[in-house]
Short mmCIF file of all heavy atoms in Angstrom, two decimals:
data_model
loop_
_atom_site.label_atom_id
_atom_site.label_comp_id
_atom_site.label_asym_id
_atom_site.label_seq_id
_atom_site.Cartn_x
_atom_site.Cartn_y
_atom_site.Cartn_z
N LEU A 106 18.98 58.88 43.43
CA LEU A 106 18.33 57.78 42.75
C LEU A 106 18.27 56.62 43.73
O LEU A 106 19.30 56.26 44.31
CB LEU A 106 19.09 57.37 41.49
CG LEU A 106 18.86 58.15 40.19
CD1 LEU A 106 19.24 59.61 40.34
CD2 LEU A 106 19.63 57.51 39.05
N VAL A 107 17.10 56.04 43.91
CA VAL A 107 16.91 55.00 44.91
C VAL A 107 16.28 53.78 44.25
O VAL A 107 15.14 53.84 43.79
CB VAL A 107 16.03 55.49 46.07
CG1 VAL A 107 15.88 54.38 47.11
CG2 VAL A 107 16.64 56.74 46.71
N GLU A 108 17.02 52.67 44.23
CA GLU A 108 16.52 51.42 43.67
C GLU A 108 15.82 50.60 44.75
O GLU A 108 16.16 50.68 45.93
CB GLU A 108 17.66 50.57 43.09
CG GLU A 108 18.47 51.24 42.00
CD GLU A 108 19.77 51.80 42.51
OE1 GLU A 108 19.83 52.18 43.70
OE2 GLU A 108 20.75 51.84 41.73
N SER A 109 14.86 49.80 44.32
CA SER A 109 14.17 48.88 45.22
C SER A 109 13.67 47.69 44.41
O SER A 109 13.65 47.73 43.18
CB SER A 109 13.00 49.57 45.93
OG SER A 109 12.04 50.05 45.01
N GLY A 110 13.25 46.65 45.10
CA GLY A 110 12.62 45.51 44.45
C GLY A 110 13.49 44.28 44.29
O GLY A 110 13.00 43.24 43.82
N GLY A 111 14.75 44.36 44.66
CA GLY A 111 15.61 43.20 44.57
C GLY A 111 15.24 42.15 45.60
O GLY A 111 14.44 42.38 46.51
N GLY A 112 15.83 40.97 45.45
CA GLY A 112 15.56 39.89 46.37
C GLY A 112 16.09 38.58 45.83
O GLY A 112 16.87 38.56 44.88
N SER A 113 15.67 37.50 46.46
CA SER A 113 16.09 36.15 46.08
C SER A 113 14.92 35.38 45.49
O SER A 113 13.83 35.35 46.07
CB SER A 113 16.64 35.40 47.29
OG SER A 113 17.78 36.05 47.82
N VAL A 114 15.15 34.78 44.32
CA VAL A 114 14.12 34.00 43.64
C VAL A 114 14.74 32.75 43.06
O VAL A 114 15.95 32.67 42.86
CB VAL A 114 13.41 34.79 42.52
CG1 VAL A 114 12.67 35.99 43.08
CG2 VAL A 114 14.43 35.23 41.47
N GLU A 115 13.89 31.76 42.77
CA GLU A 115 14.34 30.57 42.08
C GLU A 115 14.37 30.81 40.57
O GLU A 115 13.70 31.70 40.05
CB GLU A 115 13.41 29.40 42.38
CG GLU A 115 13.42 28.98 43.84
CD GLU A 115 12.53 27.79 44.12
OE1 GLU A 115 11.89 27.28 43.17
OE2 GLU A 115 12.48 27.35 45.27
N ALA A 116 15.19 30.04 39.88
CA ALA A 116 15.26 30.15 38.43
C ALA A 116 13.86 30.03 37.82
O ALA A 116 13.07 29.18 38.23
CB ALA A 116 16.17 29.08 37.86
N GLY A 117 13.59 30.90 36.85
CA GLY A 117 12.27 30.95 36.23
C GLY A 117 11.33 31.94 36.87
O GLY A 117 10.26 32.22 36.30
N GLY A 118 11.71 32.49 38.00
CA GLY A 118 10.88 33.46 38.69
C GLY A 118 11.02 34.86 38.13
O GLY A 118 11.75 35.11 37.17
N SER A 119 10.32 35.80 38.76
CA SER A 119 10.27 37.19 38.30
C SER A 119 10.49 38.16 39.44
O SER A 119 10.17 37.87 40.60
CB SER A 119 8.92 37.49 37.65
OG SER A 119 8.69 36.69 36.51
N LEU A 120 11.03 39.32 39.09
CA LEU A 120 11.15 40.44 40.00
C LEU A 120 10.90 41.72 39.21
O LEU A 120 11.14 41.77 38.00
CB LEU A 120 12.55 40.52 40.62
CG LEU A 120 12.94 39.49 41.68
CD1 LEU A 120 14.43 39.62 41.99
CD2 LEU A 120 12.11 39.67 42.94
N ARG A 121 10.44 42.75 39.90
CA ARG A 121 10.32 44.07 39.29
C ARG A 121 11.12 45.06 40.11
O ARG A 121 10.84 45.28 41.29
CB ARG A 121 8.87 44.55 39.19
CG ARG A 121 8.74 45.82 38.34
CD ARG A 121 7.31 46.31 38.20
NE ARG A 121 6.83 46.96 39.41
CZ ARG A 121 5.93 47.94 39.43
NH1 ARG A 121 5.40 48.37 38.29
NH2 ARG A 121 5.53 48.45 40.57
N LEU A 122 12.13 45.65 39.49
CA LEU A 122 12.93 46.67 40.12
C LEU A 122 12.36 48.05 39.82
O LEU A 122 11.80 48.28 38.75
CB LEU A 122 14.38 46.61 39.62
CG LEU A 122 15.09 45.26 39.70
CD1 LEU A 122 16.54 45.41 39.25
CD2 LEU A 122 15.01 44.68 41.10
N ALA A 123 12.50 48.97 40.76
CA ALA A 123 12.08 50.35 40.58
C ALA A 123 13.23 51.28 40.92
O ALA A 123 14.03 50.98 41.81
CB ALA A 123 10.87 50.66 41.44
N CYS A 124 13.30 52.39 40.22
CA CYS A 124 14.29 53.43 40.50
C CYS A 124 13.57 54.76 40.57
O CYS A 124 13.13 55.28 39.53
CB CYS A 124 15.37 53.45 39.41
SG CYS A 124 16.57 54.80 39.58
N ALA A 125 13.42 55.28 41.76
CA ALA A 125 12.79 56.58 41.96
C ALA A 125 13.85 57.66 42.02
O ALA A 125 14.91 57.47 42.61
CB ALA A 125 11.98 56.57 43.25
N THR A 126 13.56 58.81 41.40
CA THR A 126 14.50 59.92 41.39
C THR A 126 13.94 61.07 42.23
O THR A 126 12.74 61.33 42.23
CB THR A 126 14.79 60.41 39.96
OG1 THR A 126 13.58 60.91 39.37
CG2 THR A 126 15.33 59.28 39.11
N TYR A 127 14.85 61.76 42.91
CA TYR A 127 14.47 62.85 43.80
C TYR A 127 15.40 64.04 43.59
O TYR A 127 16.57 63.88 43.25
CB TYR A 127 14.56 62.41 45.26
CG TYR A 127 13.72 61.21 45.60
CD1 TYR A 127 14.26 59.93 45.54
CD2 TYR A 127 12.39 61.36 45.97
CE1 TYR A 127 13.50 58.82 45.84
CE2 TYR A 127 11.62 60.25 46.27
CZ TYR A 127 12.18 58.99 46.21
OH TYR A 127 11.41 57.89 46.51
N GLY A 128 14.87 65.24 43.81
CA GLY A 128 15.68 66.45 43.79
C GLY A 128 16.00 67.01 42.43
O GLY A 128 16.87 67.88 42.33
N LEU A 129 15.31 66.57 41.40
CA LEU A 129 15.58 67.02 40.04
C LEU A 129 14.58 68.09 39.60
O LEU A 129 13.37 67.89 39.69
CB LEU A 129 15.50 65.85 39.06
CG LEU A 129 16.64 64.83 39.14
CD1 LEU A 129 16.22 63.53 38.48
CD2 LEU A 129 17.89 65.40 38.47
N THR A 130 15.11 69.21 39.12
CA THR A 130 14.25 70.23 38.53
C THR A 130 13.76 69.79 37.16
O THR A 130 12.60 70.00 36.80
CB THR A 130 15.00 71.56 38.43
OG1 THR A 130 15.42 71.99 39.73
CG2 THR A 130 14.11 72.64 37.83
N TYR A 131 14.66 69.17 36.39
CA TYR A 131 14.34 68.61 35.09
C TYR A 131 14.61 67.12 35.11
O TYR A 131 15.67 66.68 35.58
CB TYR A 131 15.15 69.29 33.99
CG TYR A 131 14.91 70.78 33.90
CD1 TYR A 131 15.80 71.69 34.47
CD2 TYR A 131 13.79 71.27 33.26
CE1 TYR A 131 15.58 73.05 34.39
CE2 TYR A 131 13.56 72.63 33.18
CZ TYR A 131 14.46 73.52 33.74
OH TYR A 131 14.23 74.87 33.66
N SER A 132 13.68 66.35 34.59
CA SER A 132 13.82 64.90 34.57
C SER A 132 15.03 64.48 33.74
O SER A 132 15.38 65.13 32.76
CB SER A 132 12.56 64.26 33.99
OG SER A 132 11.43 64.54 34.79
N LEU A 133 15.65 63.38 34.15
CA LEU A 133 16.77 62.84 33.41
C LEU A 133 16.26 62.21 32.11
O LEU A 133 15.36 61.38 32.14
CB LEU A 133 17.51 61.80 34.25
CG LEU A 133 18.10 62.34 35.56
CD1 LEU A 133 18.70 61.20 36.38
CD2 LEU A 133 19.13 63.42 35.30
N SER A 134 16.84 62.62 31.00
CA SER A 134 16.36 62.19 29.70
C SER A 134 16.74 60.76 29.36
O SER A 134 16.01 60.07 28.64
CB SER A 134 16.88 63.12 28.60
OG SER A 134 16.47 64.45 28.83
N PHE A 135 17.89 60.33 29.83
CA PHE A 135 18.46 59.03 29.50
C PHE A 135 18.75 58.29 30.79
O PHE A 135 19.49 58.78 31.64
CB PHE A 135 19.73 59.21 28.68
CG PHE A 135 20.41 57.93 28.31
CD1 PHE A 135 19.92 57.15 27.28
CD2 PHE A 135 21.55 57.50 28.99
CE1 PHE A 135 20.54 55.97 26.92
CE2 PHE A 135 22.18 56.32 28.65
CZ PHE A 135 21.67 55.55 27.61
N MET A 136 18.17 57.12 30.94
CA MET A 136 18.39 56.31 32.12
C MET A 136 18.65 54.87 31.72
O MET A 136 18.31 54.45 30.61
CB MET A 136 17.21 56.41 33.09
CG MET A 136 16.95 57.82 33.58
SD MET A 136 15.80 57.91 34.97
CE MET A 136 16.82 57.19 36.27
N GLY A 137 19.25 54.14 32.64
CA GLY A 137 19.55 52.76 32.34
C GLY A 137 19.67 51.91 33.58
O GLY A 137 19.78 52.42 34.71
N TRP A 138 19.64 50.62 33.34
CA TRP A 138 19.88 49.62 34.37
C TRP A 138 21.18 48.91 34.06
O TRP A 138 21.43 48.53 32.91
CB TRP A 138 18.73 48.61 34.43
CG TRP A 138 17.46 49.18 34.98
CD1 TRP A 138 16.41 49.67 34.27
CD2 TRP A 138 17.13 49.31 36.36
NE1 TRP A 138 15.42 50.11 35.12
CE2 TRP A 138 15.84 49.90 36.41
CE3 TRP A 138 17.76 49.00 37.55
CZ2 TRP A 138 15.19 50.17 37.61
CZ3 TRP A 138 17.12 49.27 38.75
CH2 TRP A 138 15.85 49.85 38.77
N PHE A 139 21.99 48.72 35.08
CA PHE A 139 23.31 48.13 34.94
C PHE A 139 23.50 47.11 36.05
O PHE A 139 22.84 47.18 37.09
CB PHE A 139 24.38 49.23 35.02
CG PHE A 139 24.09 50.38 34.11
CD1 PHE A 139 23.30 51.44 34.53
CD2 PHE A 139 24.57 50.39 32.81
CE1 PHE A 139 23.00 52.50 33.69
CE2 PHE A 139 24.28 51.45 31.95
CZ PHE A 139 23.49 52.49 32.39
N ARG A 140 24.37 46.14 35.83
CA ARG A 140 24.59 45.13 36.85
C ARG A 140 26.05 44.73 36.91
O ARG A 140 26.79 44.85 35.94
CB ARG A 140 23.72 43.89 36.60
CG ARG A 140 24.08 43.09 35.36
CD ARG A 140 23.07 41.98 35.12
NE ARG A 140 23.42 41.16 33.97
CZ ARG A 140 22.63 40.23 33.46
NH1 ARG A 140 21.44 39.98 34.00
NH2 ARG A 140 23.03 39.52 32.40
N GLN A 141 26.45 44.25 38.08
CA GLN A 141 27.79 43.76 38.28
C GLN A 141 27.75 42.51 39.14
O GLN A 141 27.27 42.55 40.27
CB GLN A 141 28.68 44.82 38.93
CG GLN A 141 30.14 44.41 38.99
CD GLN A 141 31.05 45.58 39.30
OE1 GLN A 141 30.62 46.61 39.79
NE2 GLN A 141 32.33 45.42 39.00
N ALA A 142 28.23 41.42 38.58
CA ALA A 142 28.32 40.16 39.28
C ALA A 142 29.74 39.98 39.80
O ALA A 142 30.69 40.57 39.28
CB ALA A 142 27.95 39.01 38.36
N PRO A 143 29.92 39.14 40.83
CA PRO A 143 31.27 38.91 41.37
C PRO A 143 32.23 38.44 40.28
O PRO A 143 31.91 37.53 39.51
CB PRO A 143 31.04 37.83 42.41
CG PRO A 143 29.63 38.02 42.85
CD PRO A 143 28.89 38.43 41.61
N GLY A 144 33.39 39.07 40.21
CA GLY A 144 34.40 38.70 39.24
C GLY A 144 34.17 39.19 37.83
O GLY A 144 34.94 38.86 36.93
N LYS A 145 33.12 39.98 37.61
CA LYS A 145 32.81 40.48 36.29
C LYS A 145 32.79 42.00 36.27
O LYS A 145 32.63 42.64 37.30
CB LYS A 145 31.46 39.95 35.81
CG LYS A 145 31.42 38.46 35.54
CD LYS A 145 30.10 38.06 34.91
CE LYS A 145 30.08 36.61 34.53
NZ LYS A 145 28.79 36.24 33.89
N GLU A 146 32.94 42.56 35.08
CA GLU A 146 32.82 44.00 34.90
C GLU A 146 31.36 44.41 34.94
O GLU A 146 30.46 43.62 34.63
CB GLU A 146 33.45 44.42 33.57
CG GLU A 146 34.94 44.15 33.46
CD GLU A 146 35.74 44.98 34.44
OE1 GLU A 146 35.41 46.18 34.63
OE2 GLU A 146 36.69 44.45 35.02
N ARG A 147 31.13 45.66 35.29
CA ARG A 147 29.78 46.19 35.24
C ARG A 147 29.31 46.25 33.79
O ARG A 147 30.07 46.64 32.89
CB ARG A 147 29.73 47.58 35.88
CG ARG A 147 28.32 48.12 36.07
CD ARG A 147 28.31 49.38 36.92
NE ARG A 147 28.78 49.12 38.27
CZ ARG A 147 28.76 50.02 39.25
NH1 ARG A 147 28.30 51.25 39.02
NH2 ARG A 147 29.22 49.70 40.45
N GLU A 148 28.06 45.86 33.55
CA GLU A 148 27.54 45.82 32.20
C GLU A 148 26.18 46.49 32.11
O GLU A 148 25.43 46.54 33.09
CB GLU A 148 27.44 44.38 31.69
CG GLU A 148 26.48 43.52 32.48
CD GLU A 148 26.34 42.12 31.92
OE1 GLU A 148 26.61 41.93 30.71
OE2 GLU A 148 25.96 41.21 32.68
N THR A 149 25.87 46.98 30.93
CA THR A 149 24.57 47.56 30.67
C THR A 149 23.54 46.47 30.44
O THR A 149 23.77 45.54 29.66
CB THR A 149 24.62 48.48 29.44
OG1 THR A 149 25.60 49.50 29.64
CG2 THR A 149 23.28 49.14 29.19
#
């Protein structure tokens, strides 16, 4: 799984992240985006 599209923006701006999958015979049925900030737990 390969993510792309991150970067630096000012408040109020926009970004579009992409996650491409490779090597799968059958597509993954359930997917999600998760994040982890410094000092915080990973969250959905």
Side-chain angles (χ1 to χ4, degrees):
L106 277 61
V107 181
E108 302 101 330
S109 61
S113 298
V114 297
E115 295 182 0
S119 298
L120 288 171
R121 190 179 76 150
L122 308 184
C124 175
T126 63
Y127 303 93
L129 289 161
T130 301
Y131 300 99
S132 298
L133 300 175
S134 301
F135 179 78
M136 300 192 70
W138 290 96
F139 311 88
R140 68 186 182 188
Q141 187 166 18
K145 292 187 175 181
E146 297 295 319
R147 189 170 296 186
E148 63 177 336
T149 302

